[in-house]
Amino acid sequence: MLGPIAWRTPPISYGPWERVTSLLTEGLVRRGLDVTLFATGDSITGAELDAVAPHGYAEDPTMDGRVWEALHVAHALERAGEYDLVHNQLDWLPLAFTAQWRTPMVTTVHGFSGPAILPAYLASASAFVSISDADRSPSLEYLATIHHGIDPAELPYVAEPDDYLVSFGRIHPDKGTAAAIEIARRAGRRLVICGLVQDADYFHAEVEPHIDGEGVVFLGAVGAEERARVLGHAVALLHPIDFDEPFGLAVVESMMCGTPALAFRRGSMAAVIDEGVTGSTVASIDEAISALPAVVALNRRRVHDRAVARFGVERMVDQYLSVYETVLAR
Amino acid sequence: MLGPIAWRTPPISYGPWERVTSLLTEGLVRRGLDVTLFATGDSITGAELDAVAPHGYAEDPTMDGRVWEALHVAHALERAGEYDLVHNQLDWLPLAFTAQWRTPMVTTVHGFSGPAILPAYLASASAFVSISDADRSPSLEYLATIHHGIDPAELPYVAEPDDYLVSFGRIHPDKGTAAAIEIARRAGRRLVICGLVQDADYFHAEVEPHIDGEGVVFLGAVGAEERARVLGHAVALLHPIDFDEPFGLAVVESMMCGTPALAFRRGSMAAVIDEGVTGSTVASIDEAISALPAVVALNRRRVHDRAVARFGVERMVDQYLSVYETVLAR
């Protein structure tokens, strides 16, 4: 399992690629597979851990991420002959060196960033797994789409929420934090915002002026326990994204707690949210405000049950095992 | 010869790493060595040319330089077993994959960019060549310092120059274009500026307002012939750099034409310029203005002869052949 090294695996707060890598790795270990996780040295796993980077480069400004990622990939490459299969979770760099791997490879494409990285994908002999049908590049062939799975035990069901809405994700125009503030304000609801500030200019201009600790509360990047508590006690998640989100982990995590999601109909949202069951997708702020009362009124137990059925980690592990078998049978 | 692929080899205008790679490659071919040049597909060489990138990524905004560089390195890696020696001209990425090369490697460090890339260097089994003693990192061991060599035939000697000063290099605060303008203005001399605009804000704020087509002329990035003509017909090169320049190809090219250089005493400048013979190094704009008349009065034939002796391409080829022999004898 060739994981990313921007953050620890599992990440302490932000780090969606590392989170999914961790959930799958631990799931495979539970099934009895012999797995080595290539990740940061401070990662925590039931698999064998191998590392060259002591900790995540995103946590340490003295580390050049490109240099450490290359050393990390090169180190895994040295050991590749020991394995039946390599699962690449860190995008194009391992693909560029495909001829050197010789071991069969599966690559999870965690959000296809655009045509400029296609040459590495096309040069590669890896099998590709998309994380949603919406995120597929028309220029690539995929073996499967496998939605991320999450661990229900980490996101306990909350039957009786508080009264606030929640916005959860990187603070960046893509994630629509400012639109969430407008929806909450016009709907007369409190809003709790959680997320790593990725675009400081946007935060200072569009988000910070609205933070008052009452109507709009900002908690920053939160850890696993606080994430479960904040998502679980919201009446709904607002996700008015301004980009084609490839998956939307926060949406699924929210649903796992029983909290329905109200999202803009971009990227994978219509595939992830079951309309009228786990939430609703809309096209504008006005539509969001109209749809909100019905979303808040959804049956939280049904939201949770559907999330377990569709996005439980064991379903993800099953699907990846099936992909591994297909690749190894080739 | 594993060359960079930002530009064609040799480059049409800017591209110092590609220029040096070309001069060395052609020199080795003249000596009868069997050389494969890994460079862009539009490169021109007497060696065997092998390429994955059709042209330089710096010339094409649709190309992701990191992706193409990885594909380029991976392709050379595939063929590495065919060679007695790999000469790496493109910095840290090939070094990160050292365990995969197996072929002995020499790396020319074209300007050590800083401690963040050290992990790749330290992981590597390559021998290192610095381009000046001033550019050495205290954390690395070097086999040799080899100053760049240039082809005297490309930069013909000019006995009778025009009356202008020249500033030659990327338009960037590092290169001190604005200081050159001030020195020329206060010395009452015309200034011709050549260079790729690398920092557009700096250009618009500090350079462009002074361009009048008379006292200050701006020619942009120039090709090989114009470079020789502009450098050769200047009375002196102004090089008031604001960084520790690792080598300073333009300084040597200027001297090759007989044009003395007046530089700020940073980086390699004191080692490259023979004080009172090929130019002078100073510490400030005031000192530059005082020193300029003596620099302009230097004997141009002596400037040229010293440049041929110290910075001719054949001397560089000899030194690299000696390094190759040392590495192969290990």
Side-chain angles (χ1 to χ4, degrees), chain A residues 62-64 66-71 73-75 77-78 92-93 95-100 115-120 123, chain B residues 62-64 66-71 73-75 77-78 92-93 95-100 115-120 123:
Chain A
T62 71
M63 290 172 77
D64 182 322
R66 300 165 310 155
V67 169
W68 283 97
E69 225 169 64
L71 289 168
V73 169
H75 177 66
L77 193 46
E78 246 183 285
W92 61 266
L93 184 61
L95 301 178
F97 288 87
T98 285
Q100 278 75 43
I117 62 169
L118 258 183
Chain B
T62 72
M63 290 172 77
D64 183 322
R66 300 165 312 154
V67 168
W68 283 97
E69 225 170 63
L71 290 168
V73 169
H75 176 66
L77 193 47
E78 248 182 284
W92 61 266
L93 185 61
L95 302 179
F97 288 87
T98 285
Q100 277 76 44
I117 62 168
L118 258 182

Side-chain angles (χ1 to χ4, degrees), chain A residues 21-53:
Chain A
T21 300
S22 174
L23 285 161
L24 177 59
T25 302
E26 304 317 306
L28 295 171
V29 169
R30 279 196 304 276
R31 304 289 181 96
L33 272 73
D34 180 10
V35 183
T36 302
L37 172 65
F38 292 85
T40 61
D42 60 351
S43 292
I44 296 167
T45 180
E48 182 197 337
L49 176 65
D50 197 354
V52 287

Side-chain angles (χ1 to χ4, degrees), chain A residues 71-85:
Chain A
L71 289 168
H72 172 69
V73 169
H75 177 66
L77 193 46
E78 246 183 285
R79 291 194 57 189
E82 300 173 35
Y83 305 102
D84 299 309
L85 189 86

